[in-house]
């Protein structure tokens, strides 16, 4: 199994990190499946329960944006440890103090602060991947990352976008590029419930479903303008033939002119993951 993962581009040194991502998101995702119903059962209104998830997602987006920059400043491992300790500490206060008190502003505030923790842990690991894994293998490893992520929280994701953005950014700017991606990915936790909260009273469940469908179409159109230079392939997307010695030519250079900005890619991520 370990050899298979190494062939897929997952370094042995990071394998426990992928397992940690799956375990961490299992805990976070498990709670989100019943938090709204639990709040309603405790006597809070549906709008209060929905606002709880929305604000949690908004602060998670802020944490996602800062994760890449902080990981480059202080080291990805340190930021991961800080994010995990932050989430666990605030979560204990949320369960032991806020929920029993039934004080909604306290519940809302601690839930929001807790949302900063998980993206610091999760997305700092993405920076760690970009530092340890070669560009030619990063797409496969990123796909495996989102598989581990989805095992916990159960979401879809554009696994190739971190690779594209780090290739465009170049050396020394990977953290900033991943921060833009993390912000967009984090905003989806806020945008999905936010769209439903705003549109449900106006257009109903059917209208919300059509809105999400339109966002998927928009994301598909935006991807037509994403044309990265992938290592091992020419500008037309054809695989470069291997040299006689059995190794592929060194063609990891990134084109100087970008066909799409990081902000446009971020919009695509947010649109596609809004559900």
């Amino acid at each position: 199994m370990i050899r298979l993962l190494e062939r897929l581009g997952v370094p042995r040194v990071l394998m426990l990190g992928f397992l940690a991502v799956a375990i961490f998101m299992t805990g976070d995702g498990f709670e989100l499946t019943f938090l709204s119903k639990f709040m309603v059962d405790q006597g809070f209104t549906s709008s209060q329960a929905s606002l709880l998830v929305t604000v949690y997602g908004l602060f998670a987006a802020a944490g996602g944006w800062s994760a890449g920059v902080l990981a480059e400043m202080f080291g990805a491992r340190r930021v991961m440890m800080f994010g995990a300790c932050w989430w666990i500490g605030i979560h204990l206060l949320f369960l032991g103090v806020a929920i029993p008190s039934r004080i909604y502003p306290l519940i809302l505030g601690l839930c929001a602060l807790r949302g900063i923790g998980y993206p610091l842990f999760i997305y700092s690991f993405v920076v760690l991947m970009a530092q340890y894994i070669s560009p030619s293998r990063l797409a496969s490893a990123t796909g495996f990352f989102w598989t581990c992520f989805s095992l916990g929280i159960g979401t879809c994701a554009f696994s190739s976008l971190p690779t594209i953005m780090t290739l465009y950014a170049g050396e020394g700017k990977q953290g900033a590029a991943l921060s833009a991606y993390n912000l967009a990915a984090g905003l989806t936790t806020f945008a999905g419930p936010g769209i439903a909260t705003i549109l449900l009273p106006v257009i109903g469940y059917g209208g919300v479903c059509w809105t999400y469908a339109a966002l998927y179409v928009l994301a598909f159109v935006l991807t037509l303008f994403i044309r990265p230079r992938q290592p091992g392939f020419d500008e037309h997307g054809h695989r470069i033939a291997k040299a006689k010695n059995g190794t592929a030519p060194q063609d990891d250079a990134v084109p100087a002119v970008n066909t799409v900005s990081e902000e446009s890619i971020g919009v695509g991520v947010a649109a596609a993951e809004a559900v």
Side-chain angles (χ1 to χ4, degrees):
M1 182 65 179
I2 293 179
R3 291 183 178 179
L4 176 61
L5 293 177
E6 287 180 325
R7 289 180 181 177
L8 294 176
V10 180
R12 185 183 295 262
V13 69
L14 294 182
M15 288 183 185
L16 288 179
F18 285 99
L19 179 61
V21 167
I23 294 174
F24 190 92
M25 293 315 301
T26 297
D28 188 76
F30 178 72
E31 180 198 79
L32 292 178
T33 59
F34 67 85
L35 180 60
S36 295
K37 184 179 183 302
F38 173 79
M39 293 297 294
V40 173
D41 291 342
Q42 298 301 308
F44 296 97
T45 65
S46 297
S47 60
Q48 287 177 319
S50 177
L51 180 62
L52 203 66
V53 179
T54 301
V55 172
Y56 178 84
L58 181 62
F59 275 73
W65 174 80
S66 61
V69 176
L70 291 176
E72 287 201 336
M73 292 176 60
F74 302 105
R77 289 187 178 88
R78 290 182 180 178
V79 177
M80 288 178 68
M81 289 298 297
F82 176 81
C85 293
W86 177 276
W87 195 96
I88 293 172
I90 300 296
H91 186 64
L92 291 175
L93 292 175
F94 179 74
L95 293 179
V97 178
I99 294 295
S101 72
R102 303 179 64 84
I103 301 174
Y104 185 74
L106 180 60
I107 295 174
L108 185 65
L110 286 178
C111 185
L113 290 176
R114 189 187 56 169
I116 299 175
Y118 102 77
L120 289 180
F121 179 85
I122 296 298
Y123 297 131
S124 294
F125 184 69
V126 176
V127 177
L128 200 64
M129 289 168 51
Q131 294 172 348
Y132 273 86
I133 302 174
S134 65
S136 60
R137 295 279 188 166
L138 187 57
S140 299
T142 306
F144 188 69
F145 164 83
W146 284 114
T147 299
C148 296
F149 184 96
S150 301
L151 287 175
I153 202 169
T155 59
C156 303
F158 278 170
S159 61
S160 60
L161 283 177
T163 306
I164 295 173
M165 297 183 74
T166 52
L167 285 175
Y168 275 125
E171 290 295 330
K173 297 182 180 180
Q174 293 177 339
L178 289 173
S179 289
Y181 170 82
N182 296 339
L183 175 63
L187 280 174
T188 62
T189 311
F190 157 77
I195 290 173
T197 301
I198 294 172
L199 297 183
L200 270 177
V202 181
I203 58 179
Y205 290 100
V208 171
C209 291
W210 280 110
T211 301
Y212 287 147
L215 289 174
Y216 278 120
V217 173
L218 174 61
F220 171 76
V221 173
L222 289 175
T223 57
L224 298 177
F225 298 95
I226 302 175
R227 298 168 183 244
R229 182 77 175 275
Q230 183 177 352
F233 292 80
D234 61 22
E235 62 274 11
H236 302 292
H238 300 134
R239 184 178 293 276
I240 298 174
K242 291 185 178 181
K244 291 183 179 180
N245 59 3
T247 59
Q250 297 296 323
D251 191 23
D252 292 345
V254 180
V257 180
N258 296 345
T259 57
V260 61
S261 66
E262 292 175 3
E263 290 80 5
S264 299
I265 296 175
V267 172
V269 179
E273 298 181 346
V275 180

